[in-house]
Amino acid sequence: MTLIHDAALTEEDYRREAMGAFAHEVRTPLTSIRMVMELARRQSAEGQLLLDSELAEMLTSSVDDLQHLADDLQEASRMERGKLAISHGPCDLGAAVEAARGLTGREIEITGPVPQAIHGPWDVPRLVRAIAGFATAANRIGNGSGKVRFSHKASPRATRLTFESGTAGPETKAVSADAGFAFFRSRQLIVAMGGEVVCTRGERYVKIVADLPQRRGSIAVEGTRTG
């Protein structure tokens, strides 16, 4: 199989696809809110309770989703403009993976061994979010099984994190907005820490590889590489 990486995509391509992903995902909670509002309006007209517990929970969840998306977009914008400082560790990778598993909860299981005694100059909370985001994206554009295979490999230059879902086949696809905003947000966080991200996609298959520098400035980032 000939693998097609996303190296041909420029930063402008990523920015455009990220905005497309954001626009797509923001429609889901907005649609839920509209449904709840319409149901509440109908119930009120019929003399019933405005919101029962199920509808109230649905509305709260949708508003929370919108708030998270808005916060992520604001952070992405601040990073792009150089207005947000990145912390350079120290960070325990194993602890970050465990914390990311807590974020994905029961919806997505990050399988594979937890890294042991691997530390680096990485921003702890942002690395946790990046790991959880890549797992979410891998499940979304992979086979959707709810299980994402995670592996890692450390070298003096960089520590490589790999997220994989599905089985590789002959067909390949480009990275696009359907990867979800979590992918683009996570990629930006890795790049901001001096790392690189490569994504290989197929039909119901994806492999996301993120390289984290072991020393500040040890990976020269020029877009996304194929290595």
Side-chain angles (χ1 to χ4, degrees):
M1 179 184 68
T2 301
L3 297 181
I4 297 180
H5 298 290
D6 60 353
L9 296 181
T10 66
E11 290 301 314
E12 184 58 36
D13 292 328
Y14 273 109
R15 187 175 298 110
R16 181 174 60 253
E17 294 295 351
M19 293 305 100
F22 181 85
H24 174 76
E25 291 190 18
V26 80
R27 293 191 188 101
T28 299
L30 280 175
T31 299
S32 296
I33 290 174
R34 291 193 184 98
M35 289 174 59
V36 170
M37 292 174 64
E38 176 61 21
L39 287 171
R41 185 188 64 78
R42 292 179 182 179
Q43 288 181 338
S44 178
E46 296 172 0
Q48 302 178 26
L49 292 175
L50 291 180
L51 291 174
D52 61 18
S53 59
E54 184 177 353
L55 291 178
E57 183 178 347
M58 183 179 177
L59 182 58
T60 299
S61 176
S62 295
V63 170
D64 287 344
D65 287 345
L66 279 175
Q67 185 62 58
H68 291 320
L69 285 171
D71 291 344
D72 286 341
L73 184 61
Q74 183 181 48
E75 181 181 53
S77 176
R78 292 181 65 193
M79 278 189 177
E80 197 170 275
R81 292 180 286 119
K83 301 293 185 180
L84 193 63
I86 293 292
S87 170
H88 293 281
C91 174
D92 180 337
L93 181 58
V97 171
E98 290 287 22
R101 284 174 169 169
L103 285 182
T104 58
R106 298 180 179 178
E107 295 182 359
I108 300 172
E109 180 183 355
I110 303 175
T111 66
V114 175
Q116 300 294 323
I118 298 178
H119 302 81
W122 314 311
D123 190 306
V124 178
R126 292 190 173 95
L127 179 57
V128 171
R129 290 170 56 203
I131 293 171
F134 282 140
T136 299
N139 182 68
R140 175 172 179 161
I141 57 180
N143 63 9
S145 66
K147 291 186 177 182
V148 173
R149 302 186 298 278
F150 169 79
S151 60
H152 63 281
K153 182 179 180 181
S155 73
R157 177 175 176 268
T159 292
R160 172 162 290 184
L161 311 181
T162 301
F163 305 83
E164 197 169 10
S165 173
T167 303
E171 298 183 26
T172 56
K173 299 171 64 177
V175 174
S176 59
D178 69 325
F181 193 67
F183 170 80
F184 296 99
R185 179 197 64 201
S186 298
R187 178 187 177 276
Q188 185 187 43
L189 293 174
I190 296 297
V191 171
M193 286 184 269
E196 298 176 335
V197 177
V198 170
C199 180
T200 303
R201 290 189 63 186
E203 187 62 36
R204 291 179 58 78
Y205 169 77
V206 67
K207 181 179 181 180
I208 301 171
V209 177
D211 284 342
L212 293 165
Q214 286 298 140
R215 298 184 304 276
R216 290 183 61 179
S218 62
I219 297 180
V221 178
E222 298 177 1
T224 302
R225 302 180 184 274
T226 59

